[in-house]
Amino acid sequence: MLKDPSAKYRPFPPVHLPDRQWPSRTLTHAPSWCSVDLRDGNQALAVPMNVGQKLELFQTLVKCGFKEIEVGFPSASNTEFTFNRRLIEEQRAPEDVWLQVLVQAREELIERTFESLVGAKKVIIHLYNSTSPAQRRVVFGMSKEEILQVAVRGAQWVQDRLPRLAGTEVRLQYSVESFSATEVEFAKEAAEAVMAVWKPTPQHKMILNLPDTVEVAGPNVYADQIEWIGRNIKHRDSLIISLHAHNDRSTGVAATELGLLAGADRVEGTLFGNGERTGNLDIVTVALNLYMHGIDPKLDFTDLNAICEVYERCTGMTVPPRHPYAGELVFTAFSGSHQDAIKKGLAEWETGRQKYWDVPYLTIDPNDLGREYREVIRVNSQSGKGGVAYLLENEYGIVLPKEMQREFGPIANEEVDRLGREVSGAELKGMFWREYIERTAPWQLQGFETESRDGKVRCRARLLHDGKPVEFSGEGNGPLAALVHGFSTAGVPRFEIANYSEHALSAGEEAAAIAYIQIKPSNGRTRWGAGVDTNIELASVRAVLSALNRS
Ligand code: KIV
Ligand code: ZN
């Protein structure tokens, strides 16, 4: 890299708009959306989609609720042309879906594009030419005047052929390609030149697409450019102003959101931001950003995993694990403090007392996108007791008392740290079972009977201690008190029950009940034990033995 980048690069000239309005506006409704997955997204793939893959992705886009879909560049190749014809001849587009096709301002390409559209119900013919200083100088070697002529000629060739599409509802779209790198005054001139040919009206508007073809400045500059055009262009009420951002500076989403604040009506983009270079704008993210503010995005991503699957299969691209809303890890917390906060937040949400979603670290309810709470908390060495307890509870219905979580959390954490990887709920349950349930030495239960008389409970316990039979009786207010008493008569150092809880285990578990008991020895460490049994009384006896065995 250069020590002095200013020797090679220069700042982007700002738009003069001192009374800009967009910074103090708020988004209140969804724009109209146009998916360009099958065109811009497709033309960026190392191996473009075949007709079958395009058809599958088209169906998915329709299912998501897109009403405008740029289906391709029919004059560019036979595959593109055939795809268009199949969509039309097999009537694959629902009545309310517009098929959009892209074409350059060249007569033979416009001719072929019209051939591809015969018989369609609703089409958007999307004409474009590039206008930025670099494109004018390097690619076309044309003056501004000549560039305007390209646009006007193209518009006229389209206009001349419209009668061929009698019976088809047609909307026209013009893209000032490389708009964001073009002087705003010249972009306006190009758009107005095309408008002079197409003569849009408020009743029959045309789409004016203002692409951020390459992000060359911050999203605030794009917003200024959009607001400037909206305020200065003739016949604004005859236009649908459309945004088409790419993501070179990684601010395609921001540019689009600010562009909407600046007055745009429509957004073009792709699922998960596939597209040239760093991609097109990611429509899923913008739509769900609206959704998380309570605005109906008018797109449905209820089963986002299924949409990801189709997308990955058709495009050969992958959705990265940290991709907003869709990535595998975006609703997952490994860190202990995050897990704890999420666990508490979800517990509060489940009480139904909170009207609005406000769970720490989760901007949106994963369930709304078909994601499960079980993937929210995953356990590795960064995790704490909360995550461990959450998995045991959610996957196995094992509800550890708070204080016991404090004991078992570090035990599990040490084991997970030793393994050096993420662990599953099943592995955690295994650790819990080994630590508490499966301990049979020195004490092992052989039999335990109780009888109640005169408000007292008497017990008879048959045990093995280091394999040797031990029998004793005891008396108390309940079976546990009787057991504790019995142990004292058998010469076991005195202890008392400091904590007790029990609950039924979920169906399918090998035992019906689990008991948790904390014992407090007169001369030793306070510790927990746990026991499972089909009989709740025996589960608690086993829990006492488990605690004694953990001395
Ligand atoms: O990025 C772009 O400018 C385009 C146009 C053709 C709309 O894709
Ligand atoms: Zn593009």
Side-chain angles (χ1 to χ4, degrees):
M1 283 173 66
L2 301 177
K3 280 232 160 5
D4 174 15
S6 73
K8 188 167 176 184
Y9 303 101
R10 62 198 153 162
F12 193 83
V15 180
H16 183 68
L17 198 64
D19 57 343
R20 58 180 63 76
Q21 301 296 306
W22 61 263
S24 37
R25 295 202 190 121
T26 310
L27 295 179
T28 55
H29 60 276
S32 47
W33 307 102
C34 174
S35 150
V36 295
D37 290 82
L38 301 169
R39 195 279 298 172
D40 219 351
N42 189 43
Q43 73 186 42
L45 297 174
V47 182
M49 287 179 267
N50 58 33
V51 171
Q53 289 164 327
K54 281 188 87 169
L55 284 174
E56 185 180 2
L57 192 52
F58 176 80
Q59 300 298 0
T60 299
L61 294 167
V62 168
K63 242 171 111 184
C64 291
F66 284 98
K67 301 299 174 205
E68 298 174 27
I69 302 175
E70 189 162 79
V71 293
F73 203 142
S75 61
S77 71
N78 270 340
T79 311
E80 293 283 281
F81 188 91
T82 310
F83 175 64
N84 225 23
R85 290 314 305 155
R86 278 196 63 183
L87 283 180
I88 295 166
E89 282 160 22
E90 296 169 14
Q91 301 190 345
R92 293 204 178 231
E95 295 282 328
D96 59 347
V97 171
W98 296 78
L99 300 181
Q100 178 168 315
V101 288
L102 181 72
V103 65
Q104 262 170 336
R106 285 171 44 193
E107 189 167 21
E108 69 285 8
L109 303 185
I110 293 172
E111 176 68 23
R112 181 86 171 136
T113 302
F114 270 77
E115 284 164 25
S116 80
L117 293 175
V118 174
K121 293 209 176 73
K122 280 183 156 72
V123 296
I124 299 171
I125 300 173
H126 179 184
L127 176 76
Y128 76 99
N129 69 307
S130 204
T131 54
S132 68
Q135 294 271 351
R136 298 194 305 257
R137 189 184 68 250
V138 181
V139 183
F140 303 107
M142 284 184 186
S143 66
K144 282 182 174 174
E145 196 44 49
E146 287 166 319
I147 291 285
L148 292 182
Q149 279 168 25
V150 170
V152 169
R153 271 200 310 267
Q156 193 60 55
W157 286 323
V158 169
Q159 184 74 21
D160 292 346
R161 286 164 176 78
L162 288 178
R164 292 207 208 151
L165 295 179
T168 300
E169 212 178 323
V170 181
R171 193 174 280 166
L172 299 177
Q173 170 167 342
Y174 174 61
S175 274
V176 187
E177 204 219 11
S178 61
F179 162 78
S180 57
T182 302
E183 309 85 333
V184 275
E185 297 81 2
F186 183 57
K188 169 177 156 332
E189 245 186 284
E192 286 176 350
V194 169
M195 288 165 73
V197 179
W198 286 349
K199 298 189 176 45
T201 64
Q203 291 70 41
H204 197 222
K205 300 183 198 231
M206 67 171 259
I207 300 168
L208 175 61
N209 197 36
L210 301 174
D212 207 359
T213 303
V214 179
E215 275 201 307
V216 286
N220 57 316
V221 175
Y222 188 52
D224 280 352
Q225 292 167 328
I226 300 295
E227 183 168 327
W228 189 94
I229 290 282
R231 285 163 59 168
N232 290 287
I233 199 155
K234 284 185 199 152
H235 311 302
R236 168 66 182 90
D237 61 352
S238 301
L239 295 173
I240 296 167
I241 292 190
S242 174
L243 306 174
H244 176 114
H246 282 261
N247 202 35
D248 301 77
R249 292 167 57 102
S250 197
T251 55
V253 167
T256 302
E257 292 182 342
L258 301 192
L260 288 172
L261 291 175
D265 310 296
R266 177 182 190 265
V267 167
E268 292 192 348
T270 57
L271 296 179
F272 315 118
N274 177 41
E276 300 278 9
R277 309 177 306 282
T278 49
N280 277 75
L281 160 83
D282 172 13
I283 281 192
V284 178
T285 299
V286 177
L288 292 173
N289 284 352
L290 291 174
Y291 180 81
M292 70 159 282
H293 284 172
I295 300 167
D296 176 2
K298 309 256 190 256
L299 286 175
D300 186 1
F301 298 121
T302 300
D303 191 355
L304 200 50
N305 283 347
I307 297 167
C308 280
E309 250 176 66
V310 175
Y311 164 82
E312 292 190 340
R313 187 167 57 247
C314 292
T315 64
M317 300 296 290
T318 47
V319 177
R322 303 256 177 236
H323 194 97
Y325 301 107
E328 188 207 329
L329 293 179
V330 298
F331 296 117
T332 297
F334 286 108
S335 121
S337 61
H338 289 208
Q339 290 180 337
D340 192 48
I342 292 174
K343 192 169 159 257
K344 288 176 178 148
L346 288 179
E348 180 196 57
W349 179 249
E350 273 154 19
T351 64
R353 284 199 296 272
Q354 284 290 332
K355 178 156 187 242
Y356 295 110
W357 180 261
D358 193 15
V359 175
Y361 301 108
L362 293 179
T363 56
I364 191 172
D365 184 347
N367 271 349
D368 291 355
L369 306 179
R371 305 284 295 258
E372 293 181 39
Y373 285 153
R374 62 186 314 179
E375 56 184 305
V376 170
I377 289 180
R378 286 165 52 176
V379 170
N380 64 13
S381 60
Q382 300 295 310
S383 315
K385 57 184 178 0
V388 171
Y390 184 89
L391 282 200
L392 288 177
E393 179 168 346
N394 274 270
E395 297 194 15
Y396 295 100
I398 297 169
V399 190
L400 299 188
K402 277 241 149 11
E403 279 209 40
M404 191 176 192
Q405 291 177 20
R406 265 178 232 127
E407 183 183 275
F408 180 59
I411 294 169
N413 188 265
E414 200 172 300
E415 174 72 2
V416 176
D417 199 32
R418 196 185 56 73
L419 290 169
R421 59 169 171 78
E422 185 187 351
V423 291
S424 65
E427 286 175 295
L428 286 174
K429 185 190 167 199
M431 289 175 205
F432 183 79
W433 244 239
R434 281 193 297 281
E435 180 64 31
Y436 295 97
I437 309 291
E438 288 167 0
R439 284 186 187 262
T440 51
W443 293 104
Q444 197 175 355
L445 183 67
Q446 297 289 288
F448 184 78
E449 292 92 35
T450 55
E451 61 175 30
S452 303
R453 211 183 304 150
D454 311 328
K456 288 269 176 217
V457 175
R458 288 192 180 77
C459 77
R460 174 122 209 102
R462 282 177 291 111
L463 309 165
L464 291 180
H465 186 258
D466 284 334
K468 293 197 191 81
V470 176
E471 282 195 28
F472 58 73
S473 306
E475 188 178 274
N477 294 333
L480 276 182
L483 179 69
V484 172
H485 175 239
F487 267 118
S488 68
T489 62
V492 173
R494 285 191 167 277
F495 65 91
E496 61 186 66
I497 306 285
N499 260 302
Y500 170 81
S501 75
E502 36 101 343
H503 62 80
L505 279 172
S506 46
E509 284 301 317
E510 58 269 35
I514 183 162
Y516 313 94
I517 278 174
Q518 190 186 35
I519 62 166
K520 192 171 173 201
S522 53
N523 59 348
R525 189 172 56 86
T526 302
R527 56 193 183 267
W528 284 87
V532 289
D533 203 289
T534 47
N535 176 311
I536 187 59
E537 192 171 284
L538 291 183
S540 34
V541 172
R542 290 185 190 283
V544 172
L545 298 187
S546 150
L548 288 173
N549 286 342
R550 294 186 61 249
S551 59

